Amino acid sequence: MKISRKQEVAVISGNKTVWQRMLSQWQLYIFLLPALIFLAIFAYGPMYGILLAFKDYMPMKGIMGSPWVGFKHFTRFFTQPTCLQYIKNTVSISLVSTLLSVPIPIIFALMLDQVDTKWYKKLVQNMTYMPYMLSVVIVISICQVLLSPTSGVVNIVIEKLGGSRINFFGEEDAVFWIYWLTGVWQNTGYSAVIYLAALSGIDQEQLEAAKIDGASRLRIIWNIKLPAIANTVIIMMILAFGGAFNVGVDKMLLIQNSMNLGKSEVISTYVYKVGLLGGEYGFSTAINLFNTLVNVLCVLTVNKIADVVSDTSLF
Amino acid sequence: MKLLKMKTKSDIIFDIINYSFLAVIFFAAFYPLYFVVIASFSDPTYVNAGETLFLPKGFTLAGYEKAFEYKKIWIGYKNSAIYTLIGTCINLAVLIPASFALSRKELVGRKIFTTLMLFTMYFSGGTIPVYLLIKNLGLMDTMWALVLPGAFSVYNMIICRSYFQGNVSEELFESVKLDGGGYMRFFFSVVLPLSKAIIAVMVLYHALGHWNVYVSALYYLRDGDKYPLQLVLANLTNSLTNSMVDGGLGADTAETEKLREMIRYSTILIAALPMIILYPFVQKYFVTGVMIGSVKG
């Protein structure tokens, strides 16, 4: 007991070596160990497999034994005629969903914040938040039945209004809209929660003072409420734009079919197809690596811009 | 005070516009699922004629009866329940202690560990390297391929860590130390009881993730008896939509076409039901989680 007392005193006074301090914290390292093991195996382990991007994989020889091929896979990808199309699809889909994902929840939260009727506010908030719980499979399945050319309610309404039926999932141009709008449908309510929390933290006295001075509601929103959530907005923007080159492979695979392939083939689905289905491990890994690097670059750039412009950054 | 409550004319106009817009948004969020519910209980003839836009017509349970006969759905349900339960337990067992350790500012190497973790949020080996790893570890076609790779979530660690830092006071640790206890005792007898809120949030986040898992099942599972619900549903919707498989309904007549339509609606609801039922009970925890997460650690 006495010794441990002494140790504590030493910790506080800080006159122990690093080694001694680590020893006194052995229990914390045990807490940390499982997480580190999982990270080492499942996050850092596969990074060694990135070597495949520069090799022709031969199952018998393993990753290490397979022959080096340099940048062959990259050259092949960048020179194939469909390359530009895949990149274009990826960027269009992800960039617009990112652009939509930032302002819509903010506007929605500001609108909701203006509602005095408690039950109405709760009702709208809870309902819009619900789709977040549903899986992409359910969301896309709902889309498929609602947009079905034979029995979908959307087409029925279109026909009633005098238009002609559209096979949305067979229409290349509809792909993007399906992806964007399901994203808005699923995430708006959820993303708004964070802004609502920030809005509820605004100093009431300031608001009342503004009201007494005769400021209109739009004026209050613009001059008090928006500045109050500015930091949250910037953080959310960094997070959103960090993934600005990312298309959810699960959602895209579900939307995809042979008719809309021209617009629905994105880098992540192509990686899956040539790799897992086609068995071209090296080629697939190379494309994947390219995608990952662009993503990392995105995060760093956006973070840097935010840091310079507004002094807010993630790292 | 009275002055503040009083509404000017422009306020009233503002309110009318605002409330109406919100009503439209509410409708847009609500209607897709609502329509699926109505359609699943209605005779497809009326559905296709557009007579069931707001209320069901020609009430029938045929779609559900047929859907209940699909054994795969129930196997999927069972699998998803097991994967969710085991997966969430592993997540929490890894996440909570690690977050606690990283919340202690005196931890030697804290910065290095955190950086190593954050790095994995943005950089990963990619689809094929992970696939090969899972294959080499012998996890292919087992539930472990779904549960283990994401066992530790860095993003959730950050949320938990900031919760511990903000809600567990240093004095409590001092008093445990005075009693001769260490981190172990502090964690189990003080920190855990104080952290019920964040644990509930984390259980929900992870459980939802496991319940909704789709892509890793598609990548790593071959045996149909091991498919989770989402994969079963995706395959079913696909085959019903493309009419490639008749789903054991017999010849492709108008009658089977009708049945197929109904099954599509009813299977979506059967799959979504657990979430819809649980939602009212769990949504406040989700909000709590978002609030904690928004306080950047």
Side-chain angles (χ1 to χ4, degrees):
Chain A
M1 201 47 56
K2 238 181 181 169
I3 296 164
S4 89
R5 268 293 165 78
K6 251 186 193 167
Q7 277 177 344
E8 307 311 338
V9 173
V11 167
I12 293 159
S13 58
N15 57 10
K16 292 171 89 182
T17 65
V18 170
W19 181 241
Q20 278 172 318
R21 266 171 42 216
M22 283 176 76
L23 215 64
S24 73
Q25 295 171 354
W26 65 273
Q27 290 173 327
L28 287 183
Y29 290 104
I30 290 184
F31 283 143
L32 206 50
L33 197 62
L36 293 177
I37 292 173
F38 274 110
L39 272 192
I41 299 175
F42 291 104
Y44 283 95
M47 286 185 197
Y48 152 76
I50 291 177
L51 290 179
L52 280 176
F54 308 95
K55 289 182 166 225
D56 266 336
Y57 182 65
M58 299 186 178
M60 303 303 285
K61 293 184 178 169
I63 295 175
M64 237 22 225
S66 298
W68 292 94
V69 294
F71 285 90
K72 183 181 106 175
H73 298 306
F74 293 92
T75 323
R76 181 181 151 201
F77 178 63
F78 290 118
T79 52
Q80 74 182 22
T82 47
C83 163
L84 206 65
Q85 181 199 344
Y86 299 158
I87 293 179
K88 223 172 98 185
N89 288 346
T90 307
V91 175
S92 326
I93 291 174
S94 55
L95 206 62
V96 175
S97 25
T98 308
L99 287 176
L100 291 174
S101 75
V102 177
I104 292 180
I106 297 173
I107 296 168
F108 176 61
L110 286 171
M111 286 169 75
L112 215 50
D113 181 60
Q114 292 295 319
V115 173
D116 300 322
T117 324
K118 274 220 171 86
W119 68 266
Y120 190 66
K121 189 175 177 177
K122 251 205 148 82
L123 180 76
V124 176
Q125 197 189 344
N126 287 350
M127 190 59 233
T128 48
Y129 187 175
M130 211 281 291
Y132 180 77
M133 304 267 292
L134 302 175
S135 71
V136 269
V137 178
I138 289 177
V139 172
I140 298 302
S141 295
I142 292 175
C143 273
Q144 279 177 336
V145 294
L146 296 189
L147 298 176
S148 153
T150 50
S151 60
V153 60
V154 175
N155 272 314
I156 291 165
V157 171
I158 287 176
E159 206 173 50
K160 277 193 171 174
L161 295 173
S164 54
R165 289 173 180 250
I166 303 164
N167 180 9
F168 288 97
F169 274 82
E171 207 70 50
E172 282 193 351
D173 291 323
V175 169
F176 290 5
W177 288 101
I178 293 170
Y179 191 95
W180 295 332
L181 294 181
T182 49
V184 170
W185 188 66
Q186 265 204 291
N187 296 321
T188 300
Y190 179 74
S191 312
V193 174
I194 200 164
Y195 298 116
L196 282 170
L199 284 169
S200 67
I202 295 179
D203 183 16
Q204 285 303 315
E205 277 177 31
Q206 198 188 354
L207 288 178
E208 277 169 25
K211 274 184 207 163
I212 290 168
D213 284 348
S216 71
R217 284 165 91 170
L218 286 173
R219 176 114 249 154
I220 291 174
I221 291 175
W222 188 253
N223 284 343
I224 300 177
K225 303 225 161 171
L226 266 182
I229 60 169
N231 268 342
T232 315
V233 171
I234 291 164
I235 298 269
M236 297 314 281
M237 255 165 71
I238 301 175
L239 288 174
F241 278 92
F245 206 58
N246 245 348
V247 174
V249 64
D250 40 5
K251 194 150 121 185
M252 223 48 218
L253 284 176
L254 289 161
I255 295 175
Q256 204 170 69
N257 58 46
S258 53
M259 285 178 288
N260 62 25
L261 215 51
K263 289 267 167 112
S264 63
E265 193 78 290
V266 292
I267 294 180
S268 52
T269 56
Y270 189 62
V271 164
Y272 162 68
K273 282 186 186 162
V274 292
L276 282 189
L277 300 182
E280 296 186 74
Y281 290 175
F283 185 49
S284 167
T285 307
I287 306 168
N288 209 338
L289 179 61
F290 159 68
N291 198 140
T292 307
L293 290 177
V294 174
N295 273 335
V296 171
L297 211 67
C298 264
V299 178
L300 294 179
T301 315
V302 175
N303 193 59
K304 188 80 208 160
I305 294 173
D307 196 13
V308 171
V309 175
S310 68
D311 272 341
T312 310
S313 70
L314 277 186
F315 335 102
Chain B
M1 209 56 213
K2 215 174 177 188
L3 181 82
L4 297 177
K5 287 269 188 250
M6 233 164 48
K7 294 203 165 177
T8 62
K9 206 170 151 196
S10 71
D11 273 346
I12 294 169
I13 296 172
F14 183 97
D15 272 341
I16 291 174
I17 296 174
N18 193 31
Y19 278 54
S20 329
F21 265 119
L22 286 171
V24 173
I25 294 172
F26 173 85
F27 183 76
F30 169 75
Y31 190 71
L33 255 185
Y34 177 68
F35 181 80
V36 174
V37 175
I38 305 174
S40 72
F41 288 112
S42 301
D43 188 315
T45 322
Y46 297 118
V47 178
N48 292 355
E51 291 176 30
T52 59
L53 292 184
F54 296 102
L55 287 171
K57 195 168 178 185
F59 185 85
T60 166
L61 289 171
Y64 286 97
E65 279 165 16
K66 204 72 202 168
F68 279 120
E69 285 172 22
Y70 277 109
K71 267 217 187 84
K72 280 183 179 168
I73 291 184
W74 303 114
I75 296 174
Y77 245 102
K78 190 195 75 190
N79 289 339
S80 282
I82 296 172
Y83 302 166
T84 303
L85 187 71
I86 296 179
T88 309
C89 287
I90 296 176
N91 288 144
L92 270 279
V94 176
L95 176 75
I96 301 293
S99 312
F100 166 70
L102 290 167
S103 77
R104 302 300 309 174
K105 293 210 162 67
E106 71 271 20
L107 177 72
V108 178
R110 181 170 178 259
K111 219 170 176 154
I112 302 167
F113 292 131
T114 312
T115 313
L116 278 174
M117 289 175 180
L118 286 178
F119 181 68
T120 64
M121 281 178 84
Y122 297 99
F123 195 83
S124 70
T127 310
I128 294 298
V130 174
Y131 171 81
L132 286 177
L133 176 77
I134 292 197
K135 211 167 150 185
N136 291 338
L137 291 174
L139 301 179
M140 277 302 280
D141 221 10
T142 67
M143 65 169 283
W144 305 113
L146 308 188
V147 165
L148 294 182
F152 177 63
S153 149
V154 178
Y155 185 77
N156 288 330
M157 180 278 289
I158 297 172
I159 297 178
C160 289
R161 193 186 60 181
S162 53
Y163 179 89
F164 290 141
Q165 281 170 348
N167 293 273
V168 182
S169 81
E170 213 41 51
E171 282 104 64
L172 289 172
F173 183 49
E174 295 302 324
S175 68
V176 170
K177 277 201 294 193
L178 285 177
D179 280 351
Y183 290 111
M184 240 4 134
R185 200 209 285 176
F186 179 52
F187 178 71
F188 286 107
S189 61
V190 179
V191 176
L192 278 189
L194 276 176
S195 309
K196 284 185 195 122
I198 192 70
I199 292 173
V201 171
M202 286 300 135
V203 166
L204 276 171
Y205 276 12
H206 286 106
L208 185 68
H210 287 297
W211 184 263
N212 285 346
V213 74
Y214 166 68
V215 119
S216 44
L218 182 72
Y219 286 3
Y220 309 128
L221 297 184
R222 298 287 168 266
D223 180 359
D225 285 342
K226 289 174 183 155
Y227 285 178
L229 184 62
Q230 307 303 331
L231 191 55
V232 173
L233 178 68
N235 290 343
L236 199 65
T237 315
N238 238 334
S239 59
L240 288 170
T241 307
N242 302 333
S243 310
M244 290 184 307
V245 183
D246 62 16
L249 298 176
D252 212 20
T253 61
E255 229 13 70
T256 59
E257 182 56 39
K258 269 167 94 179
L259 207 49
R260 183 176 290 144
E261 300 274 332
M262 298 177 68
I263 296 170
R264 285 166 66 185
Y265 291 114
S266 47
T267 46
I268 290 175
L269 276 184
I270 291 173
L273 203 63
M275 288 300 135
I276 296 172
I277 291 175
L278 281 177
Y279 179 67
F281 303 102
V282 302
Q283 58 93 7
K284 72 170 182 183
Y285 289 105
F286 269 94
V287 176
T288 317
V290 173
M291 307 268 208
I292 298 167
S294 67
V295 185
K296 197 168 73 102

